[in-house]
Amino acid sequence: MQRAIARYPADRKRSASMPLLHLWQEHFGFISDHGICWIAEKLGLQPINILELVTFYPMYRQQPAGKKHIRVCRTLSCAMAGSYELMTNLSTAAGVKANHHDTGMHNPESKDDAGEFSLEFVECLASCGTAPVCLVGDNLQELVLPRSAGHVLQRNQPTGRPLAAAHPYERRLIFKNIGRQGWTADIDCYLRDGGYEELKKAVTMARTDIVNEVKTSGLRGRGGAGFPCGLKWGFIKPDEKKPVYLICNADESEPGTFKDRYIIHEDPHQLIEGILISCFALNARTAYIYIRGEFPEGARILERAIEEARAQNLVGKNMLGTGFDCEIYIHRGAGAYICGEETGLIESLEGKRAYPRIKPPYFPAVLGLYMSPTIVNNVETLCHVKHIIGMGGAEYAKLGRPNNTGTRIVCVSGDVQRPGYFEIEVGAVTMGQLIHEMAGGLKDGRLLKAVIPGGSSAKVLRASDTYTLKETQPDGSMADRQISINDIPMDFDSLAAAGSMAGSGGVIVLDDLRDMVWTLNNLNEFYAHESCGQCTPCREGSLWMKKITDRMLLGGGVVEDPKTLVNVADNIAGRTICAFGEACAWPTQSFVAKFREEFEARAAKPAPPPLPPEYTPGELIAANGGIETVPLARNPGWERAGTAGVI
């Protein structure tokens, strides 16, 4: 605990709240009231400051779990692969009464009478390509078919699919070592392959030159928003007097997205090198890797990699003899999707609930961590920095398309033969090539019905629609071109023009057997669960949308439901502090618009008659000619109010 506290500034001990809660729960199995008070006293806080974290972050428990605790992913890709059936079979095999329904509604945790097993539905575990998946203790088990539930209860070893070799359409930079024969995650292997040479080159460059190389490269953030990385870095003043912080956003929790997991597990030193180059460029002496709590093994791998780098004088005091000091620390989250939003992440790192901040004025590059300038970049984005320094920004910009440069890792899951990850030049591969060639096409001869192209918050694209893209003609003019979904290039601008977004790169494929009401209900449950609750439209509206699609699935849909769904979504988007409002509204808006016939078929009941109007007390008395009064039974305590008291 003392080592955990030492990772944060001496006057910012509150940041150690979550690490201490993790340590306490790992030791005792749950967070007791005594633990809350003990940690609060240790950090000079009030118990309420710790209790608010325990009740906000889903991974913290106030009651002991079973000796073997199993967390089953229930989000879309896993649900499509059978995770609800898996949960049912696990419950039966373990003798646990599960607190969930077949429609997907669930309560978090249930235990058998003997306390041997406990089961819990959780949100996305970022392994959608190997769905369904579950965490048994801290071990990830992948491709857990429902019929294998008994084996899950008996064994506790991590399982998974062999890492895939590169497809001919791929152009691997970030993933060049993933699945490579003889490759290991230790620093000796990394150094033998030329690792940290780009860092050694960077420390000989002027800081402004490094930033300019990133600007020249045209690199856009790979976390979801696609904001130009060099432009973001340029917000940090060269003569900044306050401490500058770099935060690596490793909170990979967008359903359908699973690229960062493989970087962390298989090539952690690539990430460490990208962070160190970025820190040197920004004059940031401290970097935090905010890694989601569901990546316990990933956190251990990164801790080990940091210590290996420290032993080589790459991290810590006087890095590579340059006089530049740089520390990297791991900070584990505890299961809140909202921490993927950069200001929510900063609030969480400061030891608070992850309530996003209002921008302006709280742009992280100006007022970020501890009210100091802060750059927040995604795992994949920081890895690209290493390659930009290695090949030069201009050379990197030749990859991909203008304004869509470099390579991009896309993750394909759902109804395809070969789900997995693919690193492509941005825009060099079309949606059809990705699905039908790289991912092996649809299952069992099924037809393509829809695609969610950028993680669960991206608007769905219907396969039967045509899409309009603008193209530059030989004379420089712009003209519209009508294309099918298969011809959409996989880049930021083309997907935006098609009415969706590239987002986090999570492509979820839906075939013609999928029920779109069920699909939207699964997404609505995710967003209702993950709303931080700070903004009323999002807190209330996300739950309303879930309740409406719940009702439609259970046969109670009324004719007004599709209209009501869209109305609720319209009143969330654009009315919240952060982009979560759009993230939860866009699926509803697009699913109902694209597949209205399916929603209307589930909403056939007539609307109930309106409620009678409400009257004021005066209007009621006037309408009824007075209201009878009844003397109160005598009670000495009432006499103070007067003897004429009546109802």
PDB file of all heavy atoms in Angstrom, residues 23 113 639:
ATOM      1  N   LEU A  23      -6.150  -3.695  -3.582  1.00  0.00           N
ATOM      2  CA  LEU A  23      -5.298  -4.488  -2.691  1.00  0.00           C
ATOM      3  C   LEU A  23      -6.117  -5.083  -1.546  1.00  0.00           C
ATOM      4  O   LEU A  23      -5.932  -6.246  -1.170  1.00  0.00           O
ATOM      5  CB  LEU A  23      -4.158  -3.619  -2.150  1.00  0.00           C
ATOM      6  CG  LEU A  23      -3.075  -3.249  -3.173  1.00  0.00           C
ATOM      7  CD1 LEU A  23      -2.190  -2.134  -2.627  1.00  0.00           C
ATOM      8  CD2 LEU A  23      -2.230  -4.462  -3.529  1.00  0.00           C
ATOM      9  N   ASP A 113     -25.286 -22.160  -2.251  1.00  0.00           N
ATOM     10  CA  ASP A 113     -25.481 -22.172  -0.803  1.00  0.00           C
ATOM     11  C   ASP A 113     -24.182 -22.427  -0.046  1.00  0.00           C
ATOM     12  O   ASP A 113     -23.974 -21.908   1.050  1.00  0.00           O
ATOM     13  CB  ASP A 113     -26.521 -23.235  -0.416  1.00  0.00           C
ATOM     14  CG  ASP A 113     -27.909 -22.887  -0.942  1.00  0.00           C
ATOM     15  OD1 ASP A 113     -28.143 -21.685  -1.183  1.00  0.00           O
ATOM     16  OD2 ASP A 113     -28.730 -23.804  -1.126  1.00  0.00           O
ATOM     17  N   GLU A 639     -53.557  17.447  20.472  1.00  0.00           N
ATOM     18  CA  GLU A 639     -54.295  18.602  20.987  1.00  0.00           C
ATOM     19  C   GLU A 639     -53.527  19.904  20.790  1.00  0.00           C
ATOM     20  O   GLU A 639     -54.114  20.975  20.711  1.00  0.00           O
ATOM     21  CB  GLU A 639     -54.621  18.389  22.463  1.00  0.00           C
ATOM     22  CG  GLU A 639     -55.665  17.293  22.662  1.00  0.00           C
ATOM     23  CD  GLU A 639     -55.954  17.035  24.131  1.00  0.00           C
ATOM     24  OE1 GLU A 639     -55.295  17.675  24.968  1.00  0.00           O
ATOM     25  OE2 GLU A 639     -56.831  16.200  24.413  1.00  0.00           O
TER      26      GLU A 639
END
